[in-house]
Amino acid sequence: LEHYHHAGEKEYQCEVGLLSRNIVIQGNDKSDPIDDTPLECDSTSSGWTKMPCPDTFLTGLGGHTIVVGQAQGRLRGVEFHRMGMTNIMGRYPVHFHHHDPESGSVSMMTDCSVHRSYFRAISIHDAFNLKVERNTAFDISGHAFYLESGVEEYNYVQYNLAAFVHPINGAQIMPSNVVGNTLQSDKILVPADHSASGFYISNAHNYVVGNAASGGWAGIQFPVLPEPADKMLRFNGVVPKDRPALIITGN
């Protein structure tokens, strides 16, 4: 890239993300949602004139990968395209699920790309010690880099880029991610996705360093969870909102 403008200082610099990889995991041409119009609706809130429409883009049905329990997952330099299944629990492009901490210490997702995803980029659910580094997520429905329940700790979420992130079923301000919330419906599995962001950090006891985000409701969200969102993980008394931050810097 060449830039000849005399004011090409740091305040004018931008993020550049590479989406293509030699190894590709993808859904087929029937994965795309069929409820894709209208693209925008008049806003019902002050502050902006247009907003994403409810009842649209709810039928995306792409592929998914999952690493469970004591399995070890090492994903390096992989492209994920047309992945995720909108509003279907556990069906994300990349999903580390109830992952053993020892396996987490040797598992990773690095230098990958996720684009045109119908439900997140990566979900870290009850997983620890993972390395999620130098990944690019673009054109993502729902929270992109997602710490799912609030018990996830000691993970390294570093130097990732999230851009062009879309709320699910219209944009709304949401108070929490608690499943069972009265705002949950068949059109929104996780109410927090009404305000989808690049990074959803439900527990600050992680290493969140050097990430960049553009689009979505916010770049990085730190929800205030008084208990884990997953009811099955409330047995050990973890209070996510009270956990101290490890390292959060340079984002």
Side-chain angles (χ1 to χ4, degrees), residues 161-246:
L161 170 63
F164 201 33
V165 177
H166 316 295
I168 292 178
N169 197 38
Q172 299 178 28
I173 296 176
M174 298 304 302
S176 72
N177 183 31
V178 178
V179 174
N181 190 309
T182 56
L183 296 174
Q184 187 181 23
S185 73
D186 59 348
K187 295 181 180 179
I188 183 76
L189 176 69
V190 179
D193 284 315
H194 280 306
S195 57
S197 60
F199 297 83
Y200 186 88
I201 309 299
S202 57
N203 184 324
H205 206 65
N206 291 280
Y207 303 91
V208 185
V209 178
N211 300 289
S214 174
W217 190 270
I220 302 178
Q221 284 192 36
F222 293 89
V224 180
L225 298 183
E227 59 186 359
D230 187 340
K231 296 178 181 178
M232 294 177 59
L233 299 175
R234 295 175 184 172
F235 61 88
N236 61 2
V238 171
V239 180
K241 70 181 182 65
D242 293 341
R243 297 294 289 148
L246 289 180

Side-chain angles (χ1 to χ4, degrees), residues 4-89:
Y4 299 103
H5 194 282
H6 70 280
E9 304 296 334
K10 61 182 180 181
E11 63 268 27
Y12 291 95
Q13 294 175 5
C14 66
E15 302 290 335
V16 177
L18 179 65
L19 298 181
S20 61
R21 301 290 191 275
N22 289 332
I23 302 171
V24 181
I25 299 175
Q26 63 182 349
N28 61 26
D29 58 4
K30 298 185 184 299
S31 298
D32 285 328
I34 57 176
D35 52 344
D36 56 358
T37 57
L39 292 177
E40 62 181 15
C41 292
D42 293 334
S43 175
T44 57
S45 304
S46 61
W48 57 87
T49 59
K50 298 291 183 180
M51 65 185 296
C53 297
D55 303 318
T56 57
F57 293 94
L58 300 178
T59 56
L61 198 70
H64 73 101
T65 62
I66 186 169
V67 182
V68 182
Q70 295 181 337
Q72 298 177 5
R74 301 180 183 90
L75 304 169
R76 303 187 186 102
V78 181
E79 176 184 348
F80 297 88
H81 178 229
R82 291 192 182 126
M83 299 288 284
M85 302 179 186
T86 307
N87 281 334
I88 299 179
M89 183 71 76

Side-chain angles (χ1 to χ4, degrees), residues 154-170:
Y154 299 102
N155 297 290
Y156 295 81
V157 182
Q158 301 186 131
Y159 310 109
N160 302 287
L161 170 63
F164 201 33
V165 177
H166 316 295
I168 292 178
N169 197 38

